[in-house]
Amino acid sequence: LAKTTQPISMDSYEGQEVNITCSHNNIATNDYITWYQQFPSQGPRFIIQGYKTKVTNEVASLFIPADRKSSTLSLPRVSLSDTAVYYCLVGASTGRRALTFGSGTRLQVQP
Amino acid sequence: GAVVSQHPSWVICKSGTSVKIECRSLDFQATTMFWYRQFPKQSLMLMATSNEGSKATYEQGVEKDKFLINHASLTLSTLTVTSAHPEDSSFYICSAITPQAGAEETQYFGPGTRLLVL
């Protein structure tokens, strides 16, 4: 499975836009990119998933360049409740294989 | 999104006893579920893949005789920690893949089970 690299931590303030970039140089042709959010003592929560270009939902946007070797999770106007660990994962969309978790990015939102 | 539940949410047991953790997909059928373990301040580590109606596939270094996995139905997988020891204390998380009409499948996670072995 493709290995991912993310910043260990990021700091932001309430109301700001936060962009977290993930590198996945060895992504395979059939791999999708998925982002999860995890709060302490909770299971990861699905945020967004994409294959190429841009995907947007009610909570975030995912930008994927043409070469797909990286992706950026964009959180608009963060609040204190967005303080969490964010994981970027890549894996095949089919085949029912587990996802390999990297270290994730610990986002701290300040008032 | 799809809902995955776990029971219990936390458990405390004495060393040497066995503990069973249930993972259920509430609104979909999951032929495949996964079990992860997470120690404090660390990322999730895959323990095993649970397939309905067949034996689980364990990751390297995970003792299959200690962590018994049963996936008897399309909505239930159980993890039994046998003869638990304090070093088994951890946060256990299951996940399940939703079947999709399109190409992509999405993995949804349960809320986790905190195990403390005294």
Side-chain angles (χ1 to χ4, degrees):
Chain A
L1 296 173
K3 180 180 178 180
T4 60
T5 303
Q6 305 173 232
I8 295 297
S9 64
M10 293 182 68
D11 292 309
S12 183
Y13 291 95
E14 280 191 294
Q16 289 188 332
E17 177 184 78
V18 172
N19 296 308
I20 306 175
T21 297
C22 177
S23 296
H24 28 80
N25 292 317
N26 297 321
I27 189 169
T29 302
N30 61 345
D31 281 344
Y32 273 71
I33 300 158
T34 311
W35 285 79
Y36 290 87
Q37 175 192 55
Q38 187 182 28
F39 297 111
S41 297
Q42 294 187 27
R45 183 176 76 99
F46 172 85
I47 302 175
I48 197 166
Q49 183 181 63
Y51 184 81
K52 63 179 179 181
T53 61
K54 177 183 175 181
V55 180
T56 297
N57 60 23
E58 62 275 10
V59 297
S61 294
L62 178 60
F63 299 92
I64 305 169
D67 65 6
R68 303 198 330 119
K69 293 183 183 297
S70 66
S71 60
T72 299
L73 173 72
S74 180
L75 304 172
R77 296 183 299 281
V78 294
S79 64
L80 295 176
S81 61
D82 293 316
T83 294
V85 178
Y86 292 83
Y87 293 98
C88 157
L89 296 98
V90 294
S93 61
T94 59
R96 295 181 167 78
R97 287 186 291 162
L99 297 172
T100 300
F101 280 78
S103 59
T105 297
R106 189 172 299 274
L107 173 65
Q108 180 70 49
V109 180
Q110 310 271 10
Chain B
V3 180
V4 177
S5 70
Q6 283 183 241
H7 178 79
S9 57
W10 59 271
V11 57
I12 302 173
C13 69
K14 293 182 179 179
S15 185
T17 61
S18 294
V19 175
K20 179 184 286 188
I21 302 170
E22 295 185 346
C23 176
R24 294 181 183 273
S25 55
L26 298 185
D27 51 1
F28 64 98
Q29 294 183 331
T31 56
T32 302
M33 292 183 173
F34 303 100
W35 287 95
Y36 294 82
R37 180 167 53 181
Q38 186 175 35
F39 292 105
K41 302 295 184 182
Q42 295 186 21
S43 187
L44 284 75
M45 293 181 59
L46 178 67
M47 298 176 66
T49 301
S50 171
N51 296 297
E52 187 267 336
S54 63
K55 291 183 178 181
T57 303
Y58 291 82
E59 295 299 299
Q60 190 172 9
V62 178
E63 301 176 56
K64 61 180 182 181
D65 294 330
K66 181 172 182 62
F67 299 98
L68 302 179
I69 292 173
N70 183 278
H71 195 155
S73 77
L74 289 173
T75 60
L76 175 64
S77 176
T78 61
L79 168 68
T80 300
V81 183
T82 62
S83 186
H85 289 100
E87 58 265 30
D88 298 323
S89 298
S90 187
F91 192 52
Y92 292 85
I93 308 170
C94 72
S95 70
I97 291 182
T98 59
Q100 297 282 357
E104 69 273 19
E105 296 175 333
T106 302
Q107 196 168 146
Y108 289 91
F109 290 81
T113 297
R114 175 76 59 190
L115 170 63
L116 176 60
V117 184
L118 302 177

